Amino acid sequence: MSTIQTEAAVYSAVQSVVGSLHMAHTEWKDAPGLPDFSLLKRLARDQLIFLLEQLPGKKDLFIDADLMSPLDRIANVTILKQHEVDKLYKVELKPIVSSSDQLCFLIRPRIQTVKWISDLVNADKVAGRFRRYKIIFTPQKFYACETVLEEQGVYGDVTTDEWNFYILPLDDDILSLELPEFFRDNFLEGDQRWVTTAGSALRLLQSVYGSFSKVYGIGRCAKMVYESWRELMEDGEQRTRQPEFAKVFLVDRDVDFVTPLCSQVVYEGLVDDLFRIKCGSVEFGPDVTSSDKSIKVMLNSQDKVFSEIRNEHFSNVFGFLSQKAKNLQTAYDKRRGMDIQQMKAFVADELKGLKQEHRLLSLHIGASESMMKKKTKQDFQELLKTEHSLLEGFEIRECITYIEEHINRQVSMIDSLRLLCLLSITENGLLSKDYRSLKAQYLQSYGIEHLLTFANLRQLGLLEEQQAGETLTVMESKVGKLVNDKTVGKLTDAFSSLAKKSNFRALSKRLALVPKSGEEYDLRVPRDMAYVFSGAYIPLSCKLIEQVLERDGWTGMEEVTRMLNGQEFAVTGGSSSSEARSKTDAQRIVLVMFLGGCTFSEISALRFLGKERGCRFIVVTTAITNSSRLLEALLDNSA
């Protein structure tokens, strides 16, 4: 049975509930209802069960470490045990202790893992042990993996299959492919194997939720994903049904590197930066729980406290939590003066919900306090001030001095690298003397092995040295001797900015990404998407989406796309305009696919934009990212 037929079969069994799910909290009146993405979980679960049943009898299941959290969201241990999975093991690339006669491996298509499985099979052959082996690749198997099985002489001993687990719904409006390696593989290594995976994810969404009437995109990878998806749609069977979202926007991560490099200040982004949200959940340690144990918490719209503060600027969160605590106390106080009957009704209807809300409130207050302590210790305000200066292009010499101090005090290897990249991108590369000096200081502080990391950053355009002729080098060198004088330092910066054509500066001016300095910005009542960065910067990726949707295409944005190296497109999809118009909600739901990762700040900005425009954004991303994850993916520091 083909994948699309399987999807169609499962879909027909559950189609009665499509579209019935709305967000747990309606953020504004007349918000369009969101599709029911729990269908995608059911599709994935049913296909996995089908594949496990292909190996009848008791079996041990070995699971890739980075598949454990996503698998838990789809099929927990109880479901696996119901389908004759005896023991569960994490793939650790070392000899196994399983005594089972049937081994099943649920893995990502990685050559290293396939070689390990081949070694296990060959070791069993040498020992004269007979077992049955099944490899389930997810989201798909690659030819290279099958070649390894052939080369190792075990191709005939194992059966292989693929589990088309393309999309994991993390929340009502966030879908993830859970492929963090997509970013490095595609943008650094030039390995395009995941392009078809992203295309297949779009095909799955279209087959379950209806055709898209318009597709926009920018970036080389976005174009390839679009073409891959079109080919898949032409090959598969076409089914017409009412679309649940009409417009799709594909955007490459390398179109906007500035946004993920900025410190996040919305609550959900800060939690991710400091505690690492993994697969929609976070582990709060003893410093948050006020006990001696850690607690794992799901962060989504079902958490009534979190759903109200997730998109808020952190400065507003304490006030909200304080008010919430007072309201909760008032609700508890209602018990006083109740008669037996009223008390019985209170315990049956309200008490459980109040206790749950109280538990969540305590956790979020604890998390906020912990974040405040960490940020105060790091002198967060000074860090933000430096970032804002870099974004605005002011006091660059002071910023460089701050970065040098940061490196020399060895505050944080990743943070130092992040500031260097932010300086380079916003200034269109570093002056040669600055580049060499900062690079030398970094390598002295954090180790010479980071030379390869600098090569990776240079290749991606994240940290570059300006080439000769890009600046008024003679003038700069003459004035540079007096650089200790702040006014002269500013003059030096002025000469530098005159001399070079900075794409970020030009884009920032053209799209008004940086609000005019001096204007008061009330973070309690945000006026635009800049609130996600304290009013200092509107995410470039989100601004592009806003402009393209406003213009219904790229017309009038030729200069912007030229500065972003082109590769933009806008095409009319498969559904007829009359069909798309017949469902007004669909026209007000936009699917945005980030290829290479998306930050929680961007998701918050799009939620704000949707609220302003009376539409809803559904974010599909290859993985959730932030500055640490982005830069860690580019590290090459093995000695």
Side-chain angles (χ1 to χ4, degrees):
M1 188 186 280
S2 72
T3 307
I4 202 130
Q5 285 171 327
T6 309
E7 288 161 2
V10 180
Y11 164 71
S12 60
V14 290
Q15 62 181 344
S16 58
V17 294
V18 175
S20 62
L21 186 71
H22 288 250
M23 230 171 157
H25 62 293
T26 305
E27 293 173 358
W28 69 96
K29 288 177 184 176
D30 193 33
L34 290 171
D36 178 6
F37 291 120
S38 64
L39 285 173
L40 298 172
K41 284 187 185 180
R42 285 179 236 180
L43 282 166
R45 182 166 58 243
D46 288 357
Q47 196 196 1
L48 179 62
I49 289 166
F50 174 76
L51 292 171
L52 289 172
E53 287 174 348
Q54 298 289 295
L55 192 64
K58 285 201 166 188
K59 53 199 155 278
D60 284 356
L61 182 62
F62 291 79
I63 308 164
D64 244 342
D66 56 357
L67 277 173
M68 285 189 138
S69 294
L71 180 63
D72 197 43
R73 299 284 298 264
I74 298 296
N76 56 28
V77 176
T78 311
I79 292 169
L80 296 174
K81 295 276 186 189
Q82 284 168 2
H83 294 89
E84 298 188 286
V85 171
D86 188 20
K87 290 177 185 168
L88 292 165
Y89 298 94
K90 184 164 79 173
V91 168
E92 292 181 313
L93 305 182
K94 61 185 184 184
I96 62 168
V97 291
S98 171
S99 59
S100 175
D101 288 333
Q102 298 199 111
L103 304 182
C104 189
F105 302 89
L106 182 60
I107 62 168
R108 291 278 188 222
R110 295 187 186 119
I111 287 172
Q112 188 186 19
T113 316
V114 177
K115 278 184 179 170
W116 170 73
I117 295 170
S118 303
D119 290 343
L120 294 179
V121 176
N122 282 324
D124 280 352
K125 278 186 191 175
V126 171
R129 168 127 201 210
F130 175 77
R131 301 200 230 215
R132 292 179 71 191
Y133 312 92
K134 182 181 181 72
I135 303 175
I136 301 173
F137 293 103
T138 184
Q140 62 199 85
K141 61 182 171 186
F142 293 130
Y143 174 71
C145 294
E146 295 188 310
T147 305
V148 170
L149 293 172
E150 278 187 54
E151 287 171 355
Q152 301 294 317
V154 297
Y155 190 74
D157 301 298
V158 300
T159 54
T160 61
D161 227 316
E162 55 183 33
W163 178 32
N164 304 126
F165 175 35
Y166 294 118
I167 297 172
L168 174 68
L170 296 179
D171 207 343
D172 297 339
D173 60 349
I174 309 174
L175 309 174
S176 175
L177 276 68
E178 289 300 302
L179 287 174
E181 59 260 58
F182 187 106
F183 174 67
R184 182 181 171 112
D185 285 355
N186 189 81
F187 295 103
L188 181 67
E189 312 282 0
D191 183 345
Q192 293 156 11
R193 62 191 168 143
W194 299 116
V195 166
T196 50
T197 308
S200 298
L202 281 176
R203 194 253 321 249
L204 173 61
L205 287 170
Q206 181 158 346
S207 66
V208 177
Y209 300 104
S211 300
F212 315 135
S213 62
K214 204 80 186 256
V215 183
Y216 313 97
I218 183 161
R220 184 164 169 264
C221 183
K223 214 164 196 173
M224 288 192 291
V225 167
Y226 168 73
E227 282 160 8
S228 166
W229 163 62
R230 290 305 302 168
E231 282 172 23
L232 288 165
M233 289 312 296
E234 284 163 17
D235 294 344
E237 65 178 82
Q238 300 290 324
R239 292 181 298 114
T240 55
R241 60 178 305 276
Q242 285 280 46
E244 302 223 22
F245 27 76
K247 294 174 181 175
V248 179
F249 197 108
L250 308 175
V251 59
D252 281 9
R253 183 68 278 166
D254 66 354
V255 165
D256 173 18
F257 277 135
V258 171
T259 301
L261 288 172
C262 292
S263 293
Q264 302 194 79
V265 286
V266 289
Y267 183 74
E268 190 168 13
L270 256 178
V271 171
D272 188 39
D273 277 355
L274 293 177
F275 299 102
R276 290 279 175 120
I277 297 172
K278 187 180 177 186
C279 209
S281 67
V282 68
E283 194 165 304
F284 287 134
D287 58 327
V288 172
T289 60
S290 302
S291 66
D292 55 354
K293 57 183 179 181
S294 298
I295 296 177
K296 200 173 183 182
V297 184
M298 288 294 295
L299 295 179
N300 56 31
S301 53
Q302 305 306 310
D303 177 338
K304 290 200 169 65
V305 177
F306 176 70
S307 65
E308 292 185 62
I309 58 173
R310 67 192 309 180
N311 304 312
E312 289 292 324
H313 188 276
F314 189 64
S315 61
N316 302 332
V317 170
F318 270 116
F320 171 83
L321 292 174
S322 171
Q323 187 57 50
K324 193 85 177 168
K326 287 174 189 169
N327 295 348
L328 204 58
Q329 189 59 52
T330 307
Y332 271 126
D333 290 345
K334 282 198 308 184
R335 293 174 298 177
R336 291 172 189 165
M338 284 183 177
D339 59 29
I340 296 292
Q341 205 61 36
Q342 288 170 324
M343 183 62 84
K344 192 177 175 182
F346 175 78
V347 170
D349 302 335
E350 293 182 54
L351 191 59
K352 190 180 177 184
L354 288 172
K355 280 188 171 175
Q356 170 73 351
E357 209 166 322
H358 181 264
R359 188 183 74 88
L360 293 170
L361 188 61
S362 299
L363 279 173
H364 289 298
I365 289 172
S368 299
E369 286 175 341
S370 175
M371 289 192 286
M372 279 295 281
K373 282 177 194 165
K374 286 177 183 174
K375 289 303 179 188
T376 305
K377 196 177 174 185
Q378 288 175 5
D379 199 0
F380 194 48
Q381 290 308 316
E382 195 63 33
L383 182 69
L384 285 183
K385 186 185 164 196
T386 302
E387 286 181 28
H388 295 172
S389 294
L390 290 173
L391 292 166
E392 292 169 15
F394 292 147
E395 300 179 337
I396 300 303
R397 280 289 139 201
E398 283 88 333
C399 293
I400 290 174
T401 304
Y402 176 84
I403 295 168
E404 284 176 330
E405 281 176 19
H406 208 273
I407 292 169
N408 296 328
R409 283 167 47 218
Q410 296 182 329
V411 178
S412 156
M413 181 185 81
I414 289 291
D415 251 4
S416 298
L417 208 53
R418 177 175 72 80
L419 290 169
L420 284 174
C421 293
L422 202 54
L423 171 67
S424 175
I425 296 172
T426 53
E427 289 297 294
N428 196 29
L430 302 179
L431 299 170
S432 288
K433 71 180 184 67
D434 289 335
Y435 178 81
R436 288 169 195 164
S437 166
L438 289 164
K439 182 179 175 182
Q441 289 177 68
Y442 189 92
L443 295 174
Q444 281 165 3
S445 271
Y446 302 111
I448 196 73
E449 61 270 19
H450 286 285
L451 263 173
L452 288 172
T453 303
F454 275 82
N456 291 345
L457 295 170
R458 191 171 202 151
Q459 189 180 323
L460 276 179
L462 278 165
L463 184 52
E464 291 184 296
E465 181 181 359
Q466 285 173 5
Q467 298 308 307
E470 284 185 338
T471 56
L472 294 174
T473 47
V474 179
M475 185 67 76
E476 202 281 332
S477 61
K478 280 181 184 174
V479 184
K481 291 171 187 169
L482 304 168
V483 88
N484 290 334
D485 183 337
K486 286 190 178 179
T487 53
V488 180
K490 284 173 191 171
L491 188 61
T492 312
D493 297 334
F495 282 130
S496 301
S497 59
L498 276 173
K500 63 189 177 227
K501 299 270 184 186
S502 167
N503 279 0
F504 176 76
R505 293 273 172 264
L507 282 166
S508 176
K509 194 174 178 183
R510 181 85 183 171
L511 294 169
L513 298 179
V514 177
K516 288 174 184 153
S517 56
E519 287 183 14
E520 275 298 314
Y521 198 101
D522 187 353
L523 292 167
R524 286 167 301 181
V525 190
R527 61 171 181 261
D528 55 27
M529 291 184 284
Y531 92 93
V532 300
F533 291 118
S534 306
Y537 163 69
I538 296 172
L540 169 59
S541 53
C542 301
K543 189 70 175 181
L544 286 173
I545 292 162
E546 177 195 43
Q547 290 294 307
V548 170
L549 292 176
E550 210 171 76
R551 299 159 191 263
D552 195 23
W554 295 95
T555 311
M557 293 184 70
E558 292 77 11
E559 193 183 333
V560 169
T561 56
R562 183 178 52 76
M563 286 188 276
L564 292 168
N565 299 322
Q567 304 282 355
E568 77 284 357
F569 58 93
V571 287
T572 303
S575 63
S576 68
S577 55
S578 60
E579 185 189 59
R581 272 198 297 270
S582 67
K583 189 170 183 183
T584 53
D585 265 14
Q587 287 294 79
R588 294 163 60 210
I589 296 179
V590 182
L591 193 78
V592 179
M593 188 178 215
F594 285 88
L595 299 158
C598 168
T599 65
F600 283 116
S601 294
E602 287 167 307
I603 295 171
S604 291
L606 288 174
R607 284 180 183 139
F608 176 85
L609 179 63
K611 197 172 173 180
E612 292 288 291
R613 300 294 166 100
C615 63
R616 289 295 270 273
F617 288 94
I618 295 164
V619 172
V620 186
T621 178
T622 49
I624 295 292
T625 194
N626 57 23
S627 56
S628 299
R629 290 192 191 97
L630 186 97
L631 292 171
E632 281 162 12
L634 302 174
L635 290 180
D636 265 330
N637 57 345
S638 49

